[in-house]
Amino acid sequence: MRMRSLSRMARLSAVPLGAARRLAWAGGLRAFGRLTDESALDLHERTADQLVEVLGGLRGGVLKFGQVLSVYEAVMPPKVSAVYRGRLAALQEAVRPEPAETVERVMRGDVGADWRDLFASFDTGVAAAASLGQVHRARWAADGRDVAVKIQYPDARDELLGDRDAVVFAMRMFTSLMAPRLDGRALAAELMDRLAEELDYAREAAAQRAFRAAYLDDPDLLVPDVLLHEGRVIVSEWIGGTPLARVIEAGDQPERDRAGLLLTRLMFSAIARCGMMHGDPHPGNFRLLGDGRLGVLDFGAVYRHEPGAPTPLERWMDVHLAALDPGAGMADALRRAGFLRPGVPADEARLRELFLRSGAPAFTDTFRFDGAYLRDALEGITASMPVGLSMAFPPGAVHAQRALGVGIGVLCQLEAEVPFQAEALRWLTKTRSVDSRSGPAAAAPDRPAAAPPDAE
């Protein structure tokens, strides 16, 4: 196990080390006046190709590293981000799947020797492969429905545990070179801590069923039904539609805006409706359906809110709204929200500037997300680094805060124009109402009338 972990770290480390060599070479060309736009882009193309080759082959936590980078490519300069966009998005599909013999072994061991009797047909070809498992398309024998059969890799747990140090090390190196505004180490450490929960398919199936019940017959969001869970296997309804990565790459503006609106609605409504929040909103987990709904997949990473306390999203919104009030004390607002420890000194002016920049989507009726906004928000954090170092996320809020950050990154990839403020206020008011009664267990509050899907 130790030797395999070291081997995986060596392969993963080749990516930032290769990038460092190419950037050093570019520095030499620049010093002699020979670095052209074409040669600079070629350097990034080779780095992106190496990233896909290494991460796609390693699976486990290292693929999650690539997925996070693919969401945050918007922080890179526009010409550079265009190079990375397609290649990094491909990581969500570029995993080497397990062969048919392994699928047979897992299905027999976890579902039973007669597992094939459950299906009218079963495609041994892989429909999708992710960091911890792969999906096969099949037809459910009981009623003829098309289904997705999600099977966890037999060695997923060992690979995940062996990946932790490698991912934290490599993300810290890579982001310092390619996106220095990101705290790569903290992001990777939190990511790996939460990934262990994704190995528990019983927990995932329960979360998916809760989301399914909360959004049943919803005109905007579709959660597939869970038909079977046994061990390392989950069988769900099949969802077609256009992958969000394809909308990001080639969708027209109405599609981008529609997807952005529904992603925002999911982020803010889920705690009010089922006491949870989708914790992994990268593009590979969403499909834009022909009827205008957003299909939502993969409930392995879920934030579960404890009733009786403000949600992380409420804390986030309250602090940003305080930044708009010149009479409000930012330090006091942060302490009430749990982001600033008692007794820690704070620069009120710099705090206000920080949250005014990052909170821009919450301050207007509609907001156009793009890379420029994300870069500006991260530059604000960098400029206020001494302030930022004095802040900390409240216990239990880190997972939800990361999910919100990744979701905003996807909105920037979509370049969607969204009524972000209205969605936030609409659903956070509902969340407070639910918590004041009895929390998520009763979380089927009267739903506000939802607007019909936009015409295509």
Side-chain angles (χ1 to χ4, degrees):
M1 171 62 70
R2 178 63 177 169
M3 289 301 298
R4 185 170 68 174
S5 178
L6 290 174
S7 174
R8 290 165 68 78
M9 180 177 284
R11 290 184 63 189
L12 186 57
S13 300
V15 178
L17 292 175
R21 287 194 298 270
R22 285 186 281 272
L23 288 175
W25 181 55
L29 291 178
R30 184 179 292 108
F32 288 99
R34 296 172 57 190
L35 182 65
T36 65
D37 288 344
E38 288 185 4
S39 61
L41 288 177
D42 179 65
L43 296 176
H44 287 293
E45 286 175 352
R46 282 187 277 165
T47 298
D49 287 338
Q50 184 185 25
L51 184 67
V52 171
E53 179 183 358
V54 172
L55 297 184
L58 288 177
R59 294 192 325 207
V62 295
L63 184 61
K64 288 292 184 181
F65 164 34
Q67 289 174 344
V68 170
L69 287 181
S70 75
V71 169
Y72 281 100
E73 52 82 24
V75 305
M76 300 175 186
K79 288 185 179 180
V80 175
S81 68
V83 170
Y84 283 86
R85 182 175 293 118
R87 290 168 173 84
L88 290 176
L91 279 172
Q92 289 148 16
E93 306 295 337
V95 186
R96 298 169 191 172
E98 292 286 350
E101 309 86 75
T102 304
V103 173
E104 175 75 26
R105 175 160 52 88
V106 173
M107 294 295 288
R108 288 178 64 89
D110 288 33
V111 180
D114 56 352
W115 68 269
R116 287 189 176 274
D117 293 344
L118 296 171
F119 305 99
S121 63
F122 185 95
D123 187 350
T124 56
V126 178
S131 53
L132 302 178
Q134 64 193 43
V135 175
H136 294 261
R137 188 166 186 170
R139 180 160 295 171
W140 196 237
D143 55 18
R145 273 187 287 182
D146 286 340
V147 294
V149 183
K150 183 176 180 179
I151 303 171
Q152 187 178 117
Y153 300 130
D155 53 0
R157 181 174 296 277
D158 291 341
E159 287 187 346
L160 180 62
L161 295 176
D163 281 346
R164 181 184 171 84
D165 291 343
V167 173
V168 172
F169 168 76
M171 182 171 276
R172 184 178 185 181
M173 289 185 64
F174 188 85
T175 54
S176 69
L177 292 167
M178 309 306 295
R181 299 181 187 92
L182 296 181
D183 184 350
R185 185 185 183 283
L187 183 61
E190 165 64 17
L191 179 70
M192 298 305 292
D193 287 343
R194 298 279 71 81
L195 264 176
E197 296 178 358
E198 297 188 42
L199 295 169
D200 187 345
Y201 273 16
R203 182 184 178 95
E204 176 174 345
Q208 183 171 332
R209 285 174 170 135
F211 270 85
R212 167 76 175 182
Y215 290 94
L216 191 63
D217 300 324
D218 191 271
D220 298 319
L221 298 156
L222 174 64
V223 177
D225 194 13
V226 176
L227 305 183
L228 172 74
H229 160 251
E230 293 288 349
R232 295 167 292 177
V233 178
I234 297 177
V235 180
S236 304
E237 289 180 307
W238 180 268
I239 290 184
T242 304
L244 202 58
R246 197 176 303 160
V247 177
I248 290 170
E249 180 182 358
D252 59 28
Q253 197 58 49
E255 289 175 322
R256 293 170 180 273
D257 292 346
R258 178 66 181 169
L261 169 64
L262 299 187
L263 180 59
T264 301
R265 186 163 294 166
L266 175 68
M267 287 193 296
F268 283 111
S269 68
I271 293 178
R273 294 174 69 160
C274 63
M276 291 181 282
M277 181 179 177
H278 194 289
D280 192 15
H282 73 76
N285 286 337
F286 301 99
R287 303 287 186 269
L288 191 59
L289 307 181
D291 61 6
R293 290 182 295 174
L294 187 70
V296 185
L297 308 174
D298 197 343
F299 296 85
V302 169
Y303 165 77
R304 289 167 168 81
H305 178 61
E306 293 293 331
T311 72
L313 300 182
E314 288 178 294
R315 298 175 194 266
W316 181 89
M317 195 70 173
D318 286 346
V319 171
H320 283 84
L321 291 178
L324 288 175
D325 181 2
M330 287 300 300
D332 289 341
L334 284 165
R335 289 190 178 99
R336 286 195 300 271
F339 290 113
L340 194 63
R341 293 183 297 275
V344 174
D347 185 324
E348 290 277 342
R350 295 180 75 176
L351 282 172
R352 192 175 304 280
E353 179 186 1
L354 170 62
F355 283 95
L356 283 174
R357 293 175 77 167
S358 66
F363 301 153
T364 58
D365 290 339
T366 62
F367 185 81
R368 174 70 178 269
F369 288 87
D370 56 21
Y373 156 69
L374 196 54
R375 287 191 294 274
D376 182 67
L378 290 169
E379 285 168 1
I381 294 172
T382 301
S384 303
M385 189 58 70
V387 175
L389 289 175
S390 68
M391 295 168 56
F393 291 118
V398 176
H399 190 193
Q401 199 72 26
R402 184 188 72 83
L404 178 63
V406 173
I408 288 176
V410 175
L411 293 175
C412 291
Q413 284 187 300
L414 284 165
E415 298 183 341
E417 186 168 343
V418 176
F420 192 86
Q421 180 193 79
E423 286 295 319
L425 294 176
R426 170 191 183 189
W427 290 105
L428 294 185
T429 301
K430 284 278 180 183
T431 304
R432 285 190 171 103
S433 174
V434 171
D435 269 349
S436 69
R437 298 201 302 271
S438 57
D446 294 337
R447 299 176 186 169
D454 297 341
E456 292 186 50

